[in-house]
Amino acid sequence: MKVLIIEDEKPAAEKLRKAVTKANADIDIVGTLNSVSASVDWLQNNPQPDLIMMDVELTDGLSFKLFDSIQLTCPVIFTTAFDEYWQEAFEHNGIDYLLKPIRQDKLETALKKYHSLQKHFASNLQQLLQWPQQAAVNNYKKRFLVKRGIDYVAVRTEDIAYCYATHKLVCMVDQSNQKFILDRSLADLEQDLDPVQFFRINRKYFVNINAVKKIQSIGKGKLWVELSPSVDEEIVISSENVPGFKAWVNR
């Protein structure tokens, strides 16, 4: 069994390595990484492990950013000192969520869960990981009921150009440049809308493929994107998000 550890604190990484080995001496620790960028590079150049032990807050951002660049097919046991990320963790291949300091018995229970799932799915854990997406394939929202003044308007999803976060609010802009305030977060919208049609290009913008008017390289692996309807700010896709964005556009 091959396990990859992603942890930015050296003492914590070493302690976790020892705890994993103690739980199962047959486990092969194939690598210990300390950042999102290093993890993306490793995963792009190596076969995916059987399991990843992943901290949430890394030196260069939240580990969830990995999923913007890499299509992970292996399960993840998240390890963190913070309890507020548990829901997002289970939306990103998570099979368990261990709070630091990690107790040996909790770790061993999490590893037993992995083995139970592996046995149940006959070495094809991807069936488990893909099931929520497959089950929801016909459940993406077809329209949103939004408020405009004292009236309510139903906006079809195909008419949405993009959504963006601003001042703790989320706004929807349709193709005719009408703006509406939503009572959902961008994370909620990622679950509501078809990922073939919509993509989270950065922390602020979630866009329809048909709203992407122009793409331009601006150096250091980053891209500049022009949207339609236009916006009054520069929209940049980070180098970490570029591979996922390109794969989305090339579908």
PDB file of all heavy atoms in Angstrom, residues 177-206:
ATOM      1  N   ASN A 177     -26.171  41.045 -19.156  1.00  0.00           N
ATOM      2  CA  ASN A 177     -25.523  41.910 -18.162  1.00  0.00           C
ATOM      3  C   ASN A 177     -26.459  42.371 -17.047  1.00  0.00           C
ATOM      4  O   ASN A 177     -26.222  43.393 -16.415  1.00  0.00           O
ATOM      5  CB  ASN A 177     -24.870  43.124 -18.820  1.00  0.00           C
ATOM      6  CG  ASN A 177     -23.717  43.667 -17.984  1.00  0.00           C
ATOM      7  OD1 ASN A 177     -23.145  42.960 -17.162  1.00  0.00           O
ATOM      8  ND2 ASN A 177     -23.387  44.922 -18.184  1.00  0.00           N
ATOM      9  N   GLN A 178     -27.512  41.611 -16.793  1.00  0.00           N
ATOM     10  CA  GLN A 178     -28.342  41.883 -15.630  1.00  0.00           C
ATOM     11  C   GLN A 178     -27.695  41.231 -14.413  1.00  0.00           C
ATOM     12  O   GLN A 178     -27.198  40.108 -14.487  1.00  0.00           O
ATOM     13  CB  GLN A 178     -29.745  41.319 -15.818  1.00  0.00           C
ATOM     14  CG  GLN A 178     -30.538  41.973 -16.922  1.00  0.00           C
ATOM     15  CD  GLN A 178     -31.963  41.442 -16.942  1.00  0.00           C
ATOM     16  OE1 GLN A 178     -32.884  42.019 -16.362  1.00  0.00           O
ATOM     17  NE2 GLN A 178     -32.138  40.324 -17.622  1.00  0.00           N
ATOM     18  N   LYS A 179     -27.708  41.937 -13.284  1.00  0.00           N
ATOM     19  CA  LYS A 179     -27.055  41.448 -12.075  1.00  0.00           C
ATOM     20  C   LYS A 179     -28.086  41.109 -11.011  1.00  0.00           C
ATOM     21  O   LYS A 179     -29.066  41.829 -10.822  1.00  0.00           O
ATOM     22  CB  LYS A 179     -26.075  42.487 -11.545  1.00  0.00           C
ATOM     23  CG  LYS A 179     -24.905  42.780 -12.470  1.00  0.00           C
ATOM     24  CD  LYS A 179     -23.976  43.813 -11.862  1.00  0.00           C
ATOM     25  CE  LYS A 179     -22.747  44.026 -12.748  1.00  0.00           C
ATOM     26  NZ  LYS A 179     -23.085  44.612 -14.052  1.00  0.00           N
ATOM     27  N   PHE A 180     -27.831  39.995 -10.296  1.00  0.00           N
ATOM     28  CA  PHE A 180     -28.717  39.547  -9.229  1.00  0.00           C
ATOM     29  C   PHE A 180     -27.867  39.105  -8.045  1.00  0.00           C
ATOM     30  O   PHE A 180     -26.769  38.574  -8.214  1.00  0.00           O
ATOM     31  CB  PHE A 180     -29.586  38.370  -9.689  1.00  0.00           C
ATOM     32  CG  PHE A 180     -30.307  38.605 -10.983  1.00  0.00           C
ATOM     33  CD1 PHE A 180     -29.762  38.165 -12.191  1.00  0.00           C
ATOM     34  CD2 PHE A 180     -31.526  39.265 -11.007  1.00  0.00           C
ATOM     35  CE1 PHE A 180     -30.424  38.364 -13.388  1.00  0.00           C
ATOM     36  CE2 PHE A 180     -32.208  39.470 -12.204  1.00  0.00           C
ATOM     37  CZ  PHE A 180     -31.648  39.021 -13.393  1.00  0.00           C
ATOM     38  N   ILE A 181     -28.395  39.299  -6.860  1.00  0.00           N
ATOM     39  CA  ILE A 181     -27.714  38.832  -5.649  1.00  0.00           C
ATOM     40  C   ILE A 181     -28.252  37.447  -5.290  1.00  0.00           C
ATOM     41  O   ILE A 181     -29.469  37.227  -5.274  1.00  0.00           O
ATOM     42  CB  ILE A 181     -27.935  39.814  -4.482  1.00  0.00           C
ATOM     43  CG1 ILE A 181     -27.265  41.150  -4.795  1.00  0.00           C
ATOM     44  CG2 ILE A 181     -27.368  39.233  -3.182  1.00  0.00           C
ATOM     45  CD1 ILE A 181     -27.489  42.202  -3.733  1.00  0.00           C
ATOM     46  N   LEU A 182     -27.338  36.529  -5.008  1.00  0.00           N
ATOM     47  CA  LEU A 182     -27.719  35.162  -4.662  1.00  0.00           C
ATOM     48  C   LEU A 182     -27.559  34.926  -3.164  1.00  0.00           C
ATOM     49  O   LEU A 182     -26.761  35.592  -2.503  1.00  0.00           O
ATOM     50  CB  LEU A 182     -26.843  34.159  -5.412  1.00  0.00           C
ATOM     51  CG  LEU A 182     -26.924  34.161  -6.944  1.00  0.00           C
ATOM     52  CD1 LEU A 182     -25.987  33.102  -7.508  1.00  0.00           C
ATOM     53  CD2 LEU A 182     -28.344  33.912  -7.411  1.00  0.00           C
ATOM     54  N   ASP A 183     -28.291  33.954  -2.665  1.00  0.00           N
ATOM     55  CA  ASP A 183     -28.161  33.573  -1.262  1.00  0.00           C
ATOM     56  C   ASP A 183     -27.331  32.291  -1.131  1.00  0.00           C
ATOM     57  O   ASP A 183     -27.472  31.523  -0.193  1.00  0.00           O
ATOM     58  CB  ASP A 183     -29.535  33.379  -0.613  1.00  0.00           C
ATOM     59  CG  ASP A 183     -30.368  32.309  -1.299  1.00  0.00           C
ATOM     60  OD1 ASP A 183     -29.895  31.765  -2.327  1.00  0.00           O
ATOM     61  OD2 ASP A 183     -31.479  32.019  -0.824  1.00  0.00           O
ATOM     62  N   ARG A 184     -26.446  32.055  -2.110  1.00  0.00           N
ATOM     63  CA  ARG A 184     -25.575  30.885  -2.114  1.00  0.00           C
ATOM     64  C   ARG A 184     -24.123  31.335  -2.177  1.00  0.00           C
ATOM     65  O   ARG A 184     -23.814  32.403  -2.693  1.00  0.00           O
ATOM     66  CB  ARG A 184     -25.861  29.990  -3.324  1.00  0.00           C
ATOM     67  CG  ARG A 184     -27.143  29.192  -3.247  1.00  0.00           C
ATOM     68  CD  ARG A 184     -27.321  28.415  -4.542  1.00  0.00           C
ATOM     69  NE  ARG A 184     -28.374  27.425  -4.464  1.00  0.00           N
ATOM     70  CZ  ARG A 184     -29.660  27.706  -4.615  1.00  0.00           C
ATOM     71  NH1 ARG A 184     -30.025  28.947  -4.852  1.00  0.00           N
ATOM     72  NH2 ARG A 184     -30.570  26.748  -4.531  1.00  0.00           N
ATOM     73  N   SER A 185     -23.227  30.495  -1.682  1.00  0.00           N
ATOM     74  CA  SER A 185     -21.798  30.760  -1.809  1.00  0.00           C
ATOM     75  C   SER A 185     -21.306  30.198  -3.139  1.00  0.00           C
ATOM     76  O   SER A 185     -22.005  29.403  -3.790  1.00  0.00           O
ATOM     77  CB  SER A 185     -21.032  30.096  -0.660  1.00  0.00           C
ATOM     78  OG  SER A 185     -21.118  28.684  -0.769  1.00  0.00           O
ATOM     79  N   LEU A 186     -20.110  30.582  -3.551  1.00  0.00           N
ATOM     80  CA  LEU A 186     -19.546  30.026  -4.773  1.00  0.00           C
ATOM     81  C   LEU A 186     -19.327  28.518  -4.632  1.00  0.00           C
ATOM     82  O   LEU A 186     -19.467  27.772  -5.597  1.00  0.00           O
ATOM     83  CB  LEU A 186     -18.229  30.720  -5.119  1.00  0.00           C
ATOM     84  CG  LEU A 186     -18.329  32.175  -5.584  1.00  0.00           C
ATOM     85  CD1 LEU A 186     -16.946  32.699  -5.960  1.00  0.00           C
ATOM     86  CD2 LEU A 186     -19.279  32.337  -6.761  1.00  0.00           C
ATOM     87  N   ALA A 187     -19.003  28.085  -3.419  1.00  0.00           N
ATOM     88  CA  ALA A 187     -18.830  26.643  -3.183  1.00  0.00           C
ATOM     89  C   ALA A 187     -20.143  25.906  -3.408  1.00  0.00           C
ATOM     90  O   ALA A 187     -20.171  24.798  -3.962  1.00  0.00           O
ATOM     91  CB  ALA A 187     -18.318  26.400  -1.766  1.00  0.00           C
ATOM     92  N   ASP A 188     -21.262  26.516  -2.990  1.00  0.00           N
ATOM     93  CA  ASP A 188     -22.576  25.916  -3.235  1.00  0.00           C
ATOM     94  C   ASP A 188     -22.852  25.816  -4.728  1.00  0.00           C
ATOM     95  O   ASP A 188     -23.374  24.814  -5.218  1.00  0.00           O
ATOM     96  CB  ASP A 188     -23.674  26.742  -2.570  1.00  0.00           C
ATOM     97  CG  ASP A 188     -23.642  26.662  -1.052  1.00  0.00           C
ATOM     98  OD1 ASP A 188     -23.115  25.670  -0.529  1.00  0.00           O
ATOM     99  OD2 ASP A 188     -24.131  27.604  -0.405  1.00  0.00           O
ATOM    100  N   LEU A 189     -22.499  26.877  -5.456  1.00  0.00           N
ATOM    101  CA  LEU A 189     -22.752  26.899  -6.899  1.00  0.00           C
ATOM    102  C   LEU A 189     -21.952  25.823  -7.623  1.00  0.00           C
ATOM    103  O   LEU A 189     -22.410  25.265  -8.620  1.00  0.00           O
ATOM    104  CB  LEU A 189     -22.412  28.270  -7.471  1.00  0.00           C
ATOM    105  CG  LEU A 189     -23.349  29.413  -7.058  1.00  0.00           C
ATOM    106  CD1 LEU A 189     -22.821  30.739  -7.566  1.00  0.00           C
ATOM    107  CD2 LEU A 189     -24.759  29.174  -7.590  1.00  0.00           C
ATOM    108  N   GLU A 190     -20.775  25.529  -7.117  1.00  0.00           N
ATOM    109  CA  GLU A 190     -19.968  24.467  -7.729  1.00  0.00           C
ATOM    110  C   GLU A 190     -20.673  23.119  -7.653  1.00  0.00           C
ATOM    111  O   GLU A 190     -20.471  22.251  -8.503  1.00  0.00           O
ATOM    112  CB  GLU A 190     -18.602  24.385  -7.043  1.00  0.00           C
ATOM    113  CG  GLU A 190     -17.671  25.535  -7.400  1.00  0.00           C
ATOM    114  CD  GLU A 190     -16.286  25.335  -6.838  1.00  0.00           C
ATOM    115  OE1 GLU A 190     -15.501  24.562  -7.431  1.00  0.00           O
ATOM    116  OE2 GLU A 190     -15.977  25.952  -5.797  1.00  0.00           O
ATOM    117  N   GLN A 191     -21.503  22.941  -6.633  1.00  0.00           N
ATOM    118  CA  GLN A 191     -22.274  21.712  -6.507  1.00  0.00           C
ATOM    119  C   GLN A 191     -23.554  21.765  -7.336  1.00  0.00           C
ATOM    120  O   GLN A 191     -24.072  20.734  -7.771  1.00  0.00           O
ATOM    121  CB  GLN A 191     -22.637  21.467  -5.035  1.00  0.00           C
ATOM    122  CG  GLN A 191     -21.441  21.402  -4.103  1.00  0.00           C
ATOM    123  CD  GLN A 191     -20.442  20.331  -4.496  1.00  0.00           C
ATOM    124  OE1 GLN A 191     -20.826  19.190  -4.747  1.00  0.00           O
ATOM    125  NE2 GLN A 191     -19.173  20.686  -4.562  1.00  0.00           N
ATOM    126  N   ASP A 192     -24.072  22.976  -7.558  1.00  0.00           N
ATOM    127  CA  ASP A 192     -25.355  23.149  -8.238  1.00  0.00           C
ATOM    128  C   ASP A 192     -25.246  23.120  -9.757  1.00  0.00           C
ATOM    129  O   ASP A 192     -26.224  22.790 -10.444  1.00  0.00           O
ATOM    130  CB  ASP A 192     -25.998  24.484  -7.840  1.00  0.00           C
ATOM    131  CG  ASP A 192     -26.502  24.492  -6.405  1.00  0.00           C
ATOM    132  OD1 ASP A 192     -26.747  23.399  -5.872  1.00  0.00           O
ATOM    133  OD2 ASP A 192     -26.654  25.585  -5.828  1.00  0.00           O
ATOM    134  N   LEU A 193     -24.079  23.501 -10.298  1.00  0.00           N
ATOM    135  CA  LEU A 193     -23.947  23.713 -11.736  1.00  0.00           C
ATOM    136  C   LEU A 193     -23.040  22.676 -12.391  1.00  0.00           C
ATOM    137  O   LEU A 193     -22.061  22.216 -11.792  1.00  0.00           O
ATOM    138  CB  LEU A 193     -23.412  25.123 -12.009  1.00  0.00           C
ATOM    139  CG  LEU A 193     -24.347  26.257 -11.548  1.00  0.00           C
ATOM    140  CD1 LEU A 193     -23.661  27.601 -11.699  1.00  0.00           C
ATOM    141  CD2 LEU A 193     -25.651  26.228 -12.335  1.00  0.00           C
ATOM    142  N   ASP A 194     -23.357  22.328 -13.622  1.00  0.00           N
ATOM    143  CA  ASP A 194     -22.649  21.302 -14.377  1.00  0.00           C
ATOM    144  C   ASP A 194     -21.192  21.727 -14.605  1.00  0.00           C
ATOM    145  O   ASP A 194     -20.933  22.758 -15.236  1.00  0.00           O
ATOM    146  CB  ASP A 194     -23.356  21.111 -15.721  1.00  0.00           C
ATOM    147  CG  ASP A 194     -22.804  19.943 -16.518  1.00  0.00           C
ATOM    148  OD1 ASP A 194     -21.728  19.426 -16.155  1.00  0.00           O
ATOM    149  OD2 ASP A 194     -23.447  19.557 -17.507  1.00  0.00           O
ATOM    150  N   PRO A 195     -20.204  20.945 -14.136  1.00  0.00           N
ATOM    151  CA  PRO A 195     -18.798  21.316 -14.303  1.00  0.00           C
ATOM    152  C   PRO A 195     -18.316  21.290 -15.745  1.00  0.00           C
ATOM    153  O   PRO A 195     -17.244  21.816 -16.051  1.00  0.00           O
ATOM    154  CB  PRO A 195     -18.059  20.275 -13.452  1.00  0.00           C
ATOM    155  CG  PRO A 195     -18.992  19.105 -13.389  1.00  0.00           C
ATOM    156  CD  PRO A 195     -20.364  19.704 -13.357  1.00  0.00           C
ATOM    157  N   VAL A 196     -19.085  20.685 -16.626  1.00  0.00           N
ATOM    158  CA  VAL A 196     -18.743  20.754 -18.045  1.00  0.00           C
ATOM    159  C   VAL A 196     -18.984  22.166 -18.569  1.00  0.00           C
ATOM    160  O   VAL A 196     -18.254  22.660 -19.429  1.00  0.00           O
ATOM    161  CB  VAL A 196     -19.564  19.737 -18.861  1.00  0.00           C
ATOM    162  CG1 VAL A 196     -19.350  19.923 -20.356  1.00  0.00           C
ATOM    163  CG2 VAL A 196     -19.196  18.315 -18.451  1.00  0.00           C
ATOM    164  N   GLN A 197     -19.990  22.847 -18.017  1.00  0.00           N
ATOM    165  CA  GLN A 197     -20.374  24.174 -18.473  1.00  0.00           C
ATOM    166  C   GLN A 197     -19.764  25.298 -17.640  1.00  0.00           C
ATOM    167  O   GLN A 197     -19.512  26.389 -18.157  1.00  0.00           O
ATOM    168  CB  GLN A 197     -21.906  24.295 -18.451  1.00  0.00           C
ATOM    169  CG  GLN A 197     -22.474  25.491 -19.209  1.00  0.00           C
ATOM    170  CD  GLN A 197     -22.348  25.331 -20.716  1.00  0.00           C
ATOM    171  OE1 GLN A 197     -22.224  24.221 -21.220  1.00  0.00           O
ATOM    172  NE2 GLN A 197     -22.364  26.441 -21.435  1.00  0.00           N
ATOM    173  N   PHE A 198     -19.518  25.045 -16.349  1.00  0.00           N
ATOM    174  CA  PHE A 198     -19.050  26.096 -15.444  1.00  0.00           C
ATOM    175  C   PHE A 198     -17.754  25.693 -14.752  1.00  0.00           C
ATOM    176  O   PHE A 198     -17.537  24.517 -14.451  1.00  0.00           O
ATOM    177  CB  PHE A 198     -20.119  26.395 -14.385  1.00  0.00           C
ATOM    178  CG  PHE A 198     -21.368  27.035 -14.932  1.00  0.00           C
ATOM    179  CD1 PHE A 198     -22.405  26.248 -15.428  1.00  0.00           C
ATOM    180  CD2 PHE A 198     -21.517  28.416 -14.968  1.00  0.00           C
ATOM    181  CE1 PHE A 198     -23.556  26.825 -15.938  1.00  0.00           C
ATOM    182  CE2 PHE A 198     -22.660  28.997 -15.477  1.00  0.00           C
ATOM    183  CZ  PHE A 198     -23.688  28.203 -15.960  1.00  0.00           C
ATOM    184  N   PHE A 199     -16.914  26.714 -14.481  1.00  0.00           N
ATOM    185  CA  PHE A 199     -15.614  26.454 -13.870  1.00  0.00           C
ATOM    186  C   PHE A 199     -15.249  27.578 -12.917  1.00  0.00           C
ATOM    187  O   PHE A 199     -15.467  28.761 -13.214  1.00  0.00           O
ATOM    188  CB  PHE A 199     -14.537  26.338 -14.955  1.00  0.00           C
ATOM    189  CG  PHE A 199     -13.185  25.925 -14.459  1.00  0.00           C
ATOM    190  CD1 PHE A 199     -12.894  24.604 -14.196  1.00  0.00           C
ATOM    191  CD2 PHE A 199     -12.178  26.875 -14.258  1.00  0.00           C
ATOM    192  CE1 PHE A 199     -11.638  24.217 -13.743  1.00  0.00           C
ATOM    193  CE2 PHE A 199     -10.932  26.509 -13.807  1.00  0.00           C
ATOM    194  CZ  PHE A 199     -10.653  25.169 -13.543  1.00  0.00           C
ATOM    195  N   ARG A 200     -14.682  27.217 -11.767  1.00  0.00           N
ATOM    196  CA  ARG A 200     -14.206  28.203 -10.781  1.00  0.00           C
ATOM    197  C   ARG A 200     -12.795  28.620 -11.192  1.00  0.00           C
ATOM    198  O   ARG A 200     -11.820  27.918 -10.918  1.00  0.00           O
ATOM    199  CB  ARG A 200     -14.227  27.558  -9.392  1.00  0.00           C
ATOM    200  CG  ARG A 200     -13.753  28.465  -8.255  1.00  0.00           C
ATOM    201  CD  ARG A 200     -14.883  29.328  -7.740  1.00  0.00           C
ATOM    202  NE  ARG A 200     -14.481  30.032  -6.532  1.00  0.00           N
ATOM    203  CZ  ARG A 200     -14.723  29.601  -5.295  1.00  0.00           C
ATOM    204  NH1 ARG A 200     -15.361  28.450  -5.101  1.00  0.00           N
ATOM    205  NH2 ARG A 200     -14.348  30.307  -4.248  1.00  0.00           N
ATOM    206  N   ILE A 201     -12.660  29.749 -11.877  1.00  0.00           N
ATOM    207  CA  ILE A 201     -11.358  30.129 -12.419  1.00  0.00           C
ATOM    208  C   ILE A 201     -10.433  30.725 -11.360  1.00  0.00           C
ATOM    209  O   ILE A 201      -9.211  30.691 -11.519  1.00  0.00           O
ATOM    210  CB  ILE A 201     -11.507  31.103 -13.609  1.00  0.00           C
ATOM    211  CG1 ILE A 201     -12.236  32.384 -13.201  1.00  0.00           C
ATOM    212  CG2 ILE A 201     -12.221  30.430 -14.765  1.00  0.00           C
ATOM    213  CD1 ILE A 201     -12.280  33.419 -14.316  1.00  0.00           C
ATOM    214  N   ASN A 202     -11.008  31.290 -10.307  1.00  0.00           N
ATOM    215  CA  ASN A 202     -10.215  31.746  -9.165  1.00  0.00           C
ATOM    216  C   ASN A 202     -11.147  31.836  -7.959  1.00  0.00           C
ATOM    217  O   ASN A 202     -12.295  31.400  -8.027  1.00  0.00           O
ATOM    218  CB  ASN A 202      -9.508  33.081  -9.456  1.00  0.00           C
ATOM    219  CG  ASN A 202     -10.467  34.189  -9.881  1.00  0.00           C
ATOM    220  OD1 ASN A 202     -11.625  34.223  -9.460  1.00  0.00           O
ATOM    221  ND2 ASN A 202      -9.992  35.105 -10.702  1.00  0.00           N
ATOM    222  N   ARG A 203     -10.674  32.396  -6.873  1.00  0.00           N
ATOM    223  CA  ARG A 203     -11.498  32.432  -5.666  1.00  0.00           C
ATOM    224  C   ARG A 203     -12.728  33.315  -5.829  1.00  0.00           C
ATOM    225  O   ARG A 203     -13.713  33.145  -5.116  1.00  0.00           O
ATOM    226  CB  ARG A 203     -10.674  32.925  -4.476  1.00  0.00           C
ATOM    227  CG  ARG A 203      -9.610  31.944  -4.021  1.00  0.00           C
ATOM    228  CD  ARG A 203      -9.000  32.373  -2.717  1.00  0.00           C
ATOM    229  NE  ARG A 203      -8.042  31.393  -2.223  1.00  0.00           N
ATOM    230  CZ  ARG A 203      -7.454  31.460  -1.042  1.00  0.00           C
ATOM    231  NH1 ARG A 203      -7.724  32.466  -0.236  1.00  0.00           N
ATOM    232  NH2 ARG A 203      -6.591  30.534  -0.668  1.00  0.00           N
ATOM    233  N   LYS A 204     -12.687  34.236  -6.779  1.00  0.00           N
ATOM    234  CA  LYS A 204     -13.771  35.216  -6.897  1.00  0.00           C
ATOM    235  C   LYS A 204     -14.772  34.882  -7.994  1.00  0.00           C
ATOM    236  O   LYS A 204     -15.958  35.188  -7.858  1.00  0.00           O
ATOM    237  CB  LYS A 204     -13.179  36.604  -7.135  1.00  0.00           C
ATOM    238  CG  LYS A 204     -14.195  37.727  -7.108  1.00  0.00           C
ATOM    239  CD  LYS A 204     -13.530  39.086  -7.153  1.00  0.00           C
ATOM    240  CE  LYS A 204     -14.573  40.200  -7.088  1.00  0.00           C
ATOM    241  NZ  LYS A 204     -13.950  41.544  -7.122  1.00  0.00           N
ATOM    242  N   TYR A 205     -14.324  34.259  -9.090  1.00  0.00           N
ATOM    243  CA  TYR A 205     -15.194  34.096 -10.261  1.00  0.00           C
ATOM    244  C   TYR A 205     -15.464  32.626 -10.593  1.00  0.00           C
ATOM    245  O   TYR A 205     -14.563  31.784 -10.581  1.00  0.00           O
ATOM    246  CB  TYR A 205     -14.560  34.758 -11.488  1.00  0.00           C
ATOM    247  CG  TYR A 205     -14.787  36.254 -11.529  1.00  0.00           C
ATOM    248  CD1 TYR A 205     -13.916  37.115 -10.878  1.00  0.00           C
ATOM    249  CD2 TYR A 205     -15.876  36.808 -12.198  1.00  0.00           C
ATOM    250  CE1 TYR A 205     -14.116  38.491 -10.898  1.00  0.00           C
ATOM    251  CE2 TYR A 205     -16.084  38.167 -12.230  1.00  0.00           C
ATOM    252  CZ  TYR A 205     -15.202  39.002 -11.580  1.00  0.00           C
ATOM    253  OH  TYR A 205     -15.415  40.370 -11.599  1.00  0.00           O
ATOM    254  N   PHE A 206     -16.742  32.374 -10.914  1.00  0.00           N
ATOM    255  CA  PHE A 206     -17.233  31.067 -11.361  1.00  0.00           C
ATOM    256  C   PHE A 206     -17.933  31.327 -12.687  1.00  0.00           C
ATOM    257  O   PHE A 206     -18.947  32.030 -12.731  1.00  0.00           O
ATOM    258  CB  PHE A 206     -18.195  30.515 -10.309  1.00  0.00           C
ATOM    259  CG  PHE A 206     -18.584  29.081 -10.516  1.00  0.00           C
ATOM    260  CD1 PHE A 206     -17.638  28.104 -10.734  1.00  0.00           C
ATOM    261  CD2 PHE A 206     -19.915  28.697 -10.450  1.00  0.00           C
ATOM    262  CE1 PHE A 206     -17.997  26.771 -10.904  1.00  0.00           C
ATOM    263  CE2 PHE A 206     -20.289  27.377 -10.617  1.00  0.00           C
ATOM    264  CZ  PHE A 206     -19.319  26.422 -10.845  1.00  0.00           C
TER     265      PHE A 206
END
